[in-house]
Amino acid sequence: MPEESVRPLQRGLAVLRALAVGEQVRAGDLVRATGLARSTVDRVVATLVRLGHVREHGQELHLTPRLMELGNAYLATSGLSGEVAARTARLADDLDESVSLAVPDGDGVRFVTQAARRRAMSVAFHIGDLLPAERCAPGALFAAEWDEAAWAAWRARVAADPGGHAFPALPPGPASTPPPPDLADRVERSRATGWAIDDQLIEPGLIATAVPVRDAKGRARYALSAVSHTSRHTARGLAELVLPRLRAEAAYLECLPPAASPYEDSELTSGQPLDAAEAKAELGPGFLQSLARGLDVLRALGRAHGEGLPLTAIAAATGLPRATARRCLHTLELEGYAAHDGRLHRPLPRVLELGYARLSRLGFADIAEPHLRQLTGRVHQSASVTVLDGTDILYVARAATVRVMSVHITLGTRFPAYPTAMGRVLVAGLPREDRARLLKAAPPRPLTRRTVTDPADLHRLLERAAADGYATADEELEEGLRSVAVPIEDAQGRVVAALNVAQHAGTAPLDETVGALLPALRETAAAIEADLHTAARFNGALMPWRKYPPTA
């Protein structure tokens, strides 16, 4: 008899899909989008909030970067690695065009790596976006391997949805009018030439050239594409320009050995793992344990390499009984997020539809700001994040309080690094030779009667900040202004940004201010880091920048 599916997991996945495509979503919107009862939606949302996948902001519901763990599980098993992402970025630099890798997903094409050129007229696709096969160059490469059942399914889909409304990544409006149904002709040309072209199939002006990257069995595992605009090239001109490099890169990727190390346990979760029993005790019937278990199983599939994982390994990874893990896997397969060959289970690219494309659009400030709001509400003082830009700090995210006396700073504000707590944290994160070079590039000068300007004293302060993991500045930038700051680090432990709370100095001693603020600052920095590490795992462009002073 067929195994029973896990209904709470199915309902939770339906809610996540609705959240992934909606704007300013509320619980009532989810009821209409999913057809579920309001009480069911409320329980699903409460569970997803407790799991850290959804955040409530007033009545609005927002997906959090932690949800990207599910997509990361698929991307880790797809063969992507840091080297592949880095080579894609270098190829984009060499060609001076956007470059992407895509995989087949049913009768669609889903992006798994994107290196976009920053221009006024640029490509707006993101990791996780899905396009119909008939509307892009990779589609012709993947359709060349369809059997008759796949072609029948494609024809049925096109007939039922000629405007491509099931593909949110397609541009809206008249440009989304379907092109002539010439996919079969383009497939035959791609078979003959070994590459495929997109001459404004998605929207006017957009052109692309794609080549297959084949696996050991000769199947098209990826499509490697270069994308441009008719303001720069004709479709044929782009192909002549990029084909030699695309083919050479595809040949290299085909010979690249599998990633040496599996998806590490420490990378499967951001922050502390959920205690399901504790969550159940806290929320009672409002916590759907079956939903939490099903998402754990989906995340655990990120350990799969090669052909997949056996049930015993998945049960061991999640701590679930084999029967429970089996039911979760059965449900994930029914929903199109996993597959098996009779013994081994693996995730499918459809996992990326669970918010990955939307969340991969987030910038560093978008990730930091919700945590800054929570910090501000906790300490009742304004909080900010800065990065190092030359010899200055640059404000990139901020949450301000409304007080009679408050610190007024706007995004984009710059201050010299040496007299600020955030600047000291950022400079302390540099190698010692770079610290000396920075101070030499911007000789300190007194801004208040308390500004430290002696180079030896500043070096001691930087050494202490590096050792203590925080820095202070007490009325050195401006009279009456006191600040405490901590570093924000990337997954390799490099300081990429600084977080601070600034307030009026008042009459309290500095040590008392540090004691009151430092625990909350460190907890907030850890939360930002966890989200940042998850979101940046396959999107290196997300990391905040750091510009050193020029060498002498």
Side-chain angles (χ1 to χ4, degrees):
M1 295 181 61
E3 297 176 86
E4 183 182 355
S5 61
V6 182
R7 295 298 297 278
L9 177 56
Q10 289 178 309
R11 293 164 178 162
L13 293 170
V15 168
L16 285 173
R17 287 193 293 269
L19 283 166
V21 300
E23 295 282 352
Q24 299 179 337
V25 179
R26 301 186 179 193
D29 301 320
L30 296 176
V31 171
R32 289 186 289 274
T34 63
L36 298 172
R38 176 60 186 260
S39 60
T40 300
V41 167
D42 287 343
R43 293 179 68 197
V44 169
V45 168
T47 302
L48 293 173
V49 169
R50 187 63 179 81
L51 292 172
H53 297 321
V54 171
R55 177 182 294 114
E56 296 174 301
H57 185 51
Q59 293 186 340
E60 292 181 4
L61 303 171
H62 300 272
L63 300 177
T64 70
R66 184 166 185 171
L67 182 63
M68 297 177 77
E69 294 169 356
L70 305 180
N72 284 349
Y74 163 72
L75 292 172
T77 66
S78 71
L80 293 178
S81 64
E83 180 180 359
V84 173
R87 290 186 66 89
T88 303
R90 286 198 295 271
L91 182 59
D93 288 339
D94 292 345
L95 296 176
D96 196 25
E97 302 291 354
S98 295
V99 174
S100 63
L101 274 176
V103 296
D105 188 357
D107 64 356
V109 172
R110 200 174 290 274
F111 293 95
V112 294
T113 297
Q114 177 81 357
R117 309 310 295 153
R118 297 186 180 276
R119 297 193 181 99
M121 186 74 71
S122 60
V123 180
F125 297 127
H126 293 79
I127 298 173
D129 274 334
L130 180 71
L131 292 178
E134 69 274 13
R135 298 288 293 275
C136 58
L141 302 175
F142 296 139
E145 299 176 357
W146 289 355
D147 57 19
E148 186 49 43
W151 277 103
W154 172 76
R155 293 187 192 99
R157 191 263 297 163
V158 172
D161 181 25
H165 300 296
F167 298 86
L170 278 180
S176 63
T177 301
D182 64 346
L183 179 59
D185 293 338
R186 292 194 296 112
V187 166
E188 290 306 315
R189 287 197 296 271
S190 74
R191 285 189 177 128
T193 62
W195 56 279
I197 197 168
D198 169 0
D199 191 356
Q200 307 179 73
L201 294 172
I202 298 174
E203 67 176 4
L206 189 66
I207 54 176
T209 301
V211 299
V213 179
R214 301 193 181 278
D215 62 17
K217 297 180 180 179
R219 298 171 300 193
R221 185 177 190 181
Y222 304 118
L224 178 64
S225 302
V227 186
S228 190
H229 195 269
T230 52
S231 60
R232 291 173 56 80
H233 306 282
T234 64
R236 284 286 169 181
L238 176 67
E240 292 173 2
L241 174 69
V242 302
L243 267 175
R245 289 299 314 277
L246 289 180
R247 284 171 166 158
E249 186 65 19
Y252 179 88
L253 293 177
E254 289 173 351
C255 297
L256 197 65
S261 61
Y263 197 44
E264 299 295 342
D265 291 354
S266 61
E267 296 167 331
L268 289 172
T269 59
S270 58
Q272 295 299 315
L274 175 75
D275 186 326
E278 179 183 325
K280 187 69 174 176
E282 176 187 333
L283 297 180
F287 183 76
L288 300 175
Q289 196 168 40
S290 295
L291 171 56
R293 287 171 170 172
L295 296 181
D296 276 345
V297 168
L298 183 54
R299 186 182 300 107
L301 287 172
R303 293 182 173 92
H305 277 252
E307 297 300 316
L309 281 178
L311 174 62
T312 52
I314 296 169
T318 57
L320 296 174
R322 283 168 52 96
T324 302
R326 184 185 296 111
R327 289 183 63 217
C328 292
L329 287 166
H330 176 67
T331 305
L332 293 170
E333 290 163 12
L334 287 176
E335 295 291 315
Y337 298 115
H340 72 97
D341 62 1
R343 189 180 73 86
L344 299 178
H345 302 263
R346 68 186 189 280
L348 294 177
R350 193 183 180 192
V351 173
L352 296 173
E353 79 173 1
L354 299 176
Y356 207 93
R358 176 179 289 275
L359 291 167
S360 68
R361 291 172 167 83
L362 296 178
F364 174 66
D366 301 315
I367 290 174
E369 281 168 3
H371 298 289
L372 292 182
R373 289 197 300 266
Q374 291 180 349
L375 175 60
T376 296
R378 179 176 174 181
V379 301
H380 309 294
Q381 299 288 348
S382 298
S384 305
V385 170
T386 64
V387 296
L388 191 61
D389 189 8
T391 60
D392 295 336
I393 59 171
L394 176 67
Y395 282 74
V396 295
R398 182 165 169 78
T401 55
V402 178
R403 303 171 64 98
V404 174
M405 181 180 294
S406 60
V407 179
H408 181 68
I409 295 171
T410 58
L411 297 184
T413 297
R414 292 173 176 274
F415 291 124
Y418 68 89
T420 66
M422 287 192 286
R424 288 170 182 171
V425 162
L426 290 165
V427 177
L430 299 175
R432 285 186 173 85
E433 59 271 20
D434 286 330
R435 297 181 200 169
R437 189 156 49 90
L438 186 144
L439 293 178
K440 184 178 180 180
R445 60 185 181 85
L447 303 178
T448 73
R449 56 188 176 82
R450 303 187 64 167
T451 306
V452 176
T453 58
D454 180 77
D457 291 339
L458 282 172
H459 280 294
R460 282 192 290 271
L461 288 173
L462 295 175
E463 290 288 345
R464 181 175 176 181
D468 294 346
Y470 75 94
T472 63
D474 196 11
E475 301 189 77
E476 297 189 50
L477 178 67
E478 183 178 318
E479 298 285 351
L481 182 64
R482 175 179 291 174
S483 174
V484 182
V486 296
I488 295 173
E489 299 180 347
D490 66 12
Q492 287 71 47
R494 296 171 298 197
V495 176
V496 294
L499 165 70
N500 91 324
V501 169
Q503 64 181 55
H504 186 262
T507 58
L510 179 60
D511 288 347
E512 183 177 318
T513 302
V514 171
L517 297 178
L518 191 56
L521 280 166
R522 283 179 164 158
E523 289 175 19
T524 302
I528 294 173
E529 288 172 350
D531 280 355
L532 186 62
H533 299 171
T534 298
R537 176 168 170 77
F538 292 99
N539 185 13
L542 173 66
M543 297 306 294
W545 62 96
R546 181 172 64 182
K547 298 178 182 176
Y548 299 161
T551 55

